[in-house]
Amino acid sequence: MADRIAKPGCINVLSIDGGGIRGIIPATILAAVERSVGRRLHEVFDLISGTSTGGIIAAAIGAGAKQGQAYEPSELVDLYVKNGPTIFRKNLLTPLRAVFMPKYSPKPLERVLQKFFGAAELRSAKTPLLISSYDLETQKPFFFKSHKIASDATYNWHLWRVARSTSAAPTYFPPFRLQGDKADYALVDGGIYVNNPAVAAYAEARNIYHDATEFLVVSAGTGDRPDAIAYRKAKTWGLLGWARLIVPVIMDSVSEAVDYELDTILGKANHYRLQPELTTASSEMDNVSSANLEQLQIEGQEFVQKNAEAIEQICALLKPGRGSDLPGIGEPVPPRPPRTGTSLDK
C-alpha cells in the first residue's frame, strides 16, 4: 500500500462485503481498526456501506441500533458466533429442501435481527448509511439511504427489516416483502450485483458531498475463496449443477472486479482493501460448525497481525475524523432526484 498523508476535508468511506457467516472476518478486522483509531467508526467515516452480512454490520456500527448507541464491531463477532448455528440450522431435510425451496427458514434469522436491533430505525443513523438490496418485481437495484430521510420522511424502516432485506441471499433465504408508505418491494440480497459495495459507496459519497475533492475508501472483505472449479466438472453442469455454486461465484467475482475498478479510479493510495486469503476457514457462507467459527476468528486476527503496519497507516488517516465535519464540506445533502428509468436512488 502506498504511503499517504491525511488531508483536511477528506471524505472517508467504509465498505463491507457480503459473505454470510464469514462476516466474522470484517467484524474482527474493524474491531482492531476501531481500537487503533480510538474513536467509534461512525465518528471517522463520512459514509458506511454494506451488502448482506456487511449490510448488517454497517447498520449495527453506523446507527443507534443499541438503545440509541452504535454497536462495537466486536459485538458483531459475538452475534455471529452465538447465533450463526441458529440462523443456519441444518437437519436431515436440508439437502432435499434446498432443491425445491430456500435452504433455510427465515424465521430464526428474523428473530435474531429483531432482538439485536430492537425498535431502532434507519433514521437513527449517526453517519450516512448505504445498504444494498435488489427488487425482484422491478428487477432494479435498491439502496437503503439513511440521508434520504431528510427529504422524504416516509423513507424510513426498522433496522431489522433493512438487515433482513440485504441478507436475503437467493437459494439460502426467501425474498423479503418490505412494505412502504408509497410502494411495497420484494427484496433479495444486494450481493447478486454489488457484493463488494465500495464503488457504489464511493459514487454515493461523491453525490452527497459535492464540495469534497479528496476521498479515502476502506473496503473490508469476508475472505477470498481459494477454491477453483475444474473445467472437466463444470462443462457437464446444467441447472442443478450450477445452482449450488452460482451465488458464491457471482458474489466473489463481483467483489474482485470492484477492487480493480477502485484501484484504477482512486489509486492504491486512496483505496485500502482489507481482504484475507482464506487458508483454514471454510469459504462456505453457511458453515457454522464450532471449528469453522473459531477458524474464521483466527483468520481475521491473523490478518490484523500480519498487516499491522498497513492498518496503522489507515488509522492514522482516520484519526482526524470525518472530512464533512470541517468547514467548507458541510453536512450531506439529500440524494438528487433519480433520472428517468432508474431506481438506483431508492
Side-chain angles (χ1 to χ4, degrees):
M1 295 183 181
D3 289 337
R4 182 178 176 279
I5 299 174
K7 295 182 180 180
C10 178
I11 296 299
N12 302 322
V13 177
L14 174 62
S15 171
I16 312 167
D17 285 17
I21 197 63
R22 285 156 48 193
I24 288 174
I25 290 176
T28 300
I29 295 171
L30 292 176
V33 171
E34 187 169 270
R35 286 194 301 270
S36 180
V37 173
R39 301 173 66 178
R40 305 304 303 275
L41 294 181
H42 63 78
E43 295 176 339
V44 296
F45 283 104
D46 299 87
L47 183 145
I48 298 177
S49 179
T51 291
S52 192
T53 197
I56 294 174
I57 296 173
I61 66 175
K66 184 184 179 183
Q67 298 178 338
Q69 301 300 314
Y71 279 100
E72 297 179 9
S74 59
E75 294 179 281
L76 273 296
V77 177
D78 293 338
L79 171 72
Y80 288 117
V81 172
K82 293 177 180 178
N83 296 285
T86 299
I87 295 171
F88 297 108
R89 178 172 294 170
K90 297 181 177 67
N91 56 47
L92 294 176
L93 295 178
T94 299
L96 182 62
R97 174 190 173 99
V99 175
F100 300 102
M101 301 171 63
K103 194 173 182 179
Y104 301 103
S105 166
K107 297 303 181 184
L109 171 62
E110 291 176 2
R111 285 194 292 267
V112 168
L113 294 176
Q114 288 170 2
K115 181 178 180 180
F116 187 73
F117 287 107
E121 299 178 341
L122 186 60
R123 70 171 71 247
S124 70
K126 297 179 178 298
T127 193
L129 298 179
L130 180 74
I131 298 175
S132 68
S133 192
Y134 185 83
D135 187 3
L136 293 175
E137 294 184 341
T138 62
Q139 294 195 12
K140 293 180 180 179
F142 184 103
F143 285 100
F144 292 94
K145 300 180 180 183
S146 63
H147 43 289
K148 185 175 180 179
I149 299 172
S151 60
D152 183 355
T154 67
Y155 194 79
N156 181 50
W157 290 274
H158 286 98
L159 284 176
W160 82 263
R161 296 181 185 276
V162 176
R164 171 67 174 87
S165 299
T166 191
S167 60
T171 74
Y172 290 88
F173 296 105
F176 184 66
R177 171 59 77 178
L178 181 72
Q179 297 180 328
D181 292 340
K182 297 180 179 179
D184 292 346
Y185 309 95
L187 300 180
V188 296
D189 194 321
I192 63 173
Y193 71 98
V194 65
N195 196 53
N196 175 348
V199 165
Y202 168 65
E204 188 67 14
R206 290 294 302 261
N207 192 35
I208 64 178
Y209 297 109
H210 296 301
D211 297 327
T213 58
E214 188 78 11
F215 292 83
L216 169 69
V217 176
V218 178
S219 175
T222 57
D224 192 25
R225 292 163 52 91
D227 42 324
I229 298 175
Y231 167 74
R232 60 183 177 80
K233 293 182 179 180
K235 69 177 182 178
T236 62
W237 287 352
L239 181 62
L240 291 179
W242 273 107
R244 184 175 63 87
L245 290 174
I246 192 62
V247 171
V249 166
I250 289 175
M251 289 183 173
D252 287 341
S253 60
V254 166
S255 293
E256 292 166 2
V258 167
D259 290 346
Y260 169 79
E261 292 163 358
L262 274 183
D263 279 348
T264 302
I265 295 170
L266 290 175
K268 293 188 178 182
N270 292 71
H271 172 226
Y272 290 81
R273 178 65 167 161
L274 303 175
Q275 174 73 306
E277 293 283 342
L278 295 180
T279 56
T280 56
S282 170
S283 62
E284 295 176 357
M285 296 192 296
D286 60 344
N287 186 332
V288 291
S289 67
S290 57
N292 193 53
L293 292 175
E294 181 178 0
Q295 289 302 317
L296 286 169
Q297 294 175 78
I298 292 173
E299 295 270 22
Q301 293 163 0
E302 290 183 345
F303 179 83
V304 170
Q305 294 170 0
K306 293 177 181 178
N307 296 273
E309 183 178 348
I311 291 175
E312 281 301 314
Q313 181 180 342
I314 294 170
C315 293
L317 297 173
L318 295 175
K319 283 181 180 179
R322 295 183 297 206
S324 58
D325 290 339
L326 299 180
I329 301 299
E331 293 300 317
V333 299
R336 296 171 179 172
R339 295 185 299 274
T340 303
T342 178
S343 65
L344 292 181
D345 202 42
K346 290 181 178 178

